[in-house]
Amino acid sequence: MYKAVISDLDGTLLNDRSKISDFTRETVRELIDRGIKFYIATGRNYGLAKAVMDELGITIPLISANGARINDEDGEVIFEDLLGKEEAEKILEVDYRKYGGNIFMNVFSGEDWLVPIGATEHISEEERKAFPALPEEVEEEELMGLDIQKIFFIGEHEALVELEKEIIEKTGGKVTIAFANETCVEFFSETANKANAAKFLLKRDGIDIKDAVSFGDGENDYEMLTMAGKGFIMGNALYRLKDMLPEDFEMVGTNNEDGEAKKLVEIF
């Protein structure tokens, strides 16, 4: 019997409206009541992840920014793996706008979600409803020198693929790069990932990662999917993640079909 669950949020535990279904909420709470450890491992920052935890009505440690930070049950930071200052500076210096005026840069630093001046004007009403808080606008030069968990860009997929190539060249490959979905590419510490963060928490709780199951849908879930005792990809998983995994890697239903929760009922 597995002892723990490691779950991504967007595209996995959450539906396309960034909401939790009643069935999923009840399933997660029942697992915890039965003594199964449940860990959230997300690309979101702590505040955005905590909003989901609160909606679930549970209190657990939170892995955020793709494993760059862990906050314990009391909200205290107990682990951090920041993007290198040199690599962050090189990424921030890239002229990302040349790939299209609809590409927007975002930075997670500490508890802050930061974007350049004017960026929030382009957030749709649907996106505003999906998130409990909006980013703070700052001058781009203010981003230099910050302690950064990750830098990510939102835009059209083809343009982001070209941007990805330039940043790989500029940083000498000394960063981790992952598409969370087709419209979001993320850059963070070359040693940060959700699996390493999960192992930190699991060790604290006396559990081996091979005694855990994991669920995800994006490239930033690859390590935790392949290192857990059993990994499951969502039916809506990103094509790039599918290409990275063996063809017979087990797939569950989509995030809009409660795919994870239904598999958890089956397992436990």
Side-chain angles (χ1 to χ4, degrees), residues 65-68 81-82 149 176 188-194 196 223:
N66 296 330
D81 186 356
L82 298 173
Q149 296 153 25
T176 297
F188 44 102
S189 166
E190 61 181 336
T191 54
N193 61 60
K194 295 181 181 181
N196 286 342
E223 290 84 3

Side-chain angles (χ1 to χ4, degrees), residues 227-241:
M227 294 180 69
K230 181 67 176 178
F232 300 92
I233 56 171
M234 305 302 295
N236 53 283
L238 180 66
Y239 78 94
R240 288 175 57 129
L241 174 63

